[in-house]
Amino acid sequence: MRTVLSSIRQALMGRSFAAALAAAVLVLLLTSAEGVIEAYRAPWLLQYGYHSELTEHALTGEMMTLALPIIAALPFTAAIVDDVKSGFIKLYLSRTSRSAYLAGRIIACGLSGALVLLLGTAFSWGILALLLLPKESLPALFDAAGNSITYVSPIWGTLFRIFASGAFWAMLGMLIGTASMSRYMAYASPFVVYYVLIILCERYFDSLFVLYPKEWLAPSSRWIFGETGALLIISELAVIAGILAAVVGRRRISDD
């Protein structure tokens, strides 16, 4: 357990995580910039929750979908490669087991990729709330029949899916990076796989929408269980990538 916590702390406190977090916030705010400008130009009050809708639109926008696999891969995907090539792995394994080491690195990788996107969304949502709440009307407390109204923002479903997506792309990068023993492949492979899947689904295999990355963030009506179905698929892929990364990582450590 200490090994896992140590790896998580290393992943979340590093400069790579801070840089990826800043990139996520920047991308979301740049995507939302036009909506903010239009809001301040409008002579009337906006509907309540406009800042949340703008955040959700930015999450599923073209700019964020392009940057998502890169941002998720930045914090910790090359951890095993760096440990092996630097020789640090020998010192590390003298104090813990191989299983604990791999568990720590893989869990920290997936968690860092997921959290960097989730926290980036939270920070950008907070900034947009500060900018736009003065321009939004007050929420209605009761409907025409006198019943109280409960507001549930649609952004919550997107947050769960982007969390799972971040974990998957990060662990996929660790899997390919460890298999090739290349830190450049660790960072670049999620982006390459992402675009290969997009090209295959858009041009050749439209029926394979479950492997279409854009569908993971904005599911269409074709999903059997709707948004929940998309979340389950992403989560399963993340678990599979983590298991394969553990298998490949164990072989690399044994060879070393």
Side-chain angles (χ1 to χ4, degrees), residues 84-103:
V84 172
K85 288 194 171 183
S86 66
F88 179 70
I89 185 68
K90 297 178 181 179
L91 176 63
Y92 206 115
L93 291 180
S94 66
R95 299 189 176 188
T96 186
S97 66
R98 294 179 181 179
S99 298
Y101 166 79
L102 290 171

Side-chain angles (χ1 to χ4, degrees), residues 47-76:
Q47 64 179 359
Y48 177 74
Y50 178 75
H51 63 284
S52 295
E53 293 179 4
L54 197 60
T55 304
E56 184 182 19
H57 177 73
L59 285 173
T60 56
E62 191 68 26
M63 186 181 296
M64 187 59 187
T65 52
L66 293 176
L68 189 150
I70 302 174
I71 294 173
L74 283 178
F76 212 59

Side-chain angles (χ1 to χ4, degrees), residues 9 15 29 78 86 215 236:
R9 184 165 52 251
R15 287 179 293 180
L29 290 180
S86 66
E215 283 276 351
E236 289 174 5

Side-chain angles (χ1 to χ4, degrees), residues 1-220:
M1 190 62 180
R2 290 183 179 179
T3 303
V4 174
L5 293 177
S6 175
S7 295
I8 293 175
R9 184 165 52 251
Q10 181 182 350
L12 300 184
M13 299 300 292
R15 287 179 293 180
S16 296
F17 185 86
L21 179 60
V25 174
L26 182 62
V27 168
L28 290 172
L29 290 180
L30 287 176
T31 306
S32 306
E34 184 177 353
V36 174
I37 294 174
E38 291 178 356
Y40 273 88
R41 286 179 176 175
W44 54 80
L45 290 177
L46 305 170
Q47 64 179 359
Y48 177 74
Y50 178 75
H51 63 284
S52 295
E53 293 179 4
L54 197 60
T55 304
E56 184 182 19
H57 177 73
L59 285 173
T60 56
E62 191 68 26
M63 186 181 296
M64 187 59 187
T65 52
L66 293 176
L68 189 150
I70 302 174
I71 294 173
L74 283 178
F76 212 59
T77 52
I80 296 178
V81 177
D82 291 340
D83 290 344
V84 172
K85 288 194 171 183
S86 66
F88 179 70
I89 185 68
K90 297 178 181 179
L91 176 63
Y92 206 115
L93 291 180
S94 66
R95 299 189 176 188
T96 186
S97 66
R98 294 179 181 179
S99 298
Y101 166 79
L102 290 171
R105 285 311 196 233
I106 293 170
I107 292 173
C109 176
L111 190 61
S112 63
L115 282 179
V116 73
L117 294 171
L118 189 64
L119 292 177
T121 302
F123 285 137
S124 61
W125 178 87
I127 294 173
L128 290 176
L130 290 175
L131 293 174
L132 296 174
L133 277 176
K135 291 288 294 182
E136 294 180 14
S137 59
L138 294 176
L141 300 179
F142 301 96
D143 59 17
N147 300 317
S148 61
I149 299 176
T150 301
Y151 289 93
V152 179
S153 175
I155 195 176
W156 287 106
T158 307
L159 290 179
F160 284 120
R161 293 191 301 277
I162 203 168
F163 183 89
S165 295
F168 167 69
W169 292 117
M171 287 191 285
L172 180 66
M174 175 167 278
L175 167 62
I176 299 177
T178 305
S180 61
M181 287 309 295
S182 168
R183 68 194 322 265
Y184 300 105
M185 286 298 294
Y187 294 131
S189 56
F191 182 79
V192 173
V193 173
Y194 178 88
Y195 266 95
V196 169
L197 290 176
I198 287 180
I199 292 172
L200 288 176
C201 292
E202 288 185 349
R203 297 186 180 181
Y204 304 106
F205 305 104
D206 180 70
S207 59
L208 292 178
F209 62 92
V210 294
L211 296 179
Y212 187 32
K214 293 183 179 181
E215 283 276 351
W216 296 348
L217 295 183
S220 64

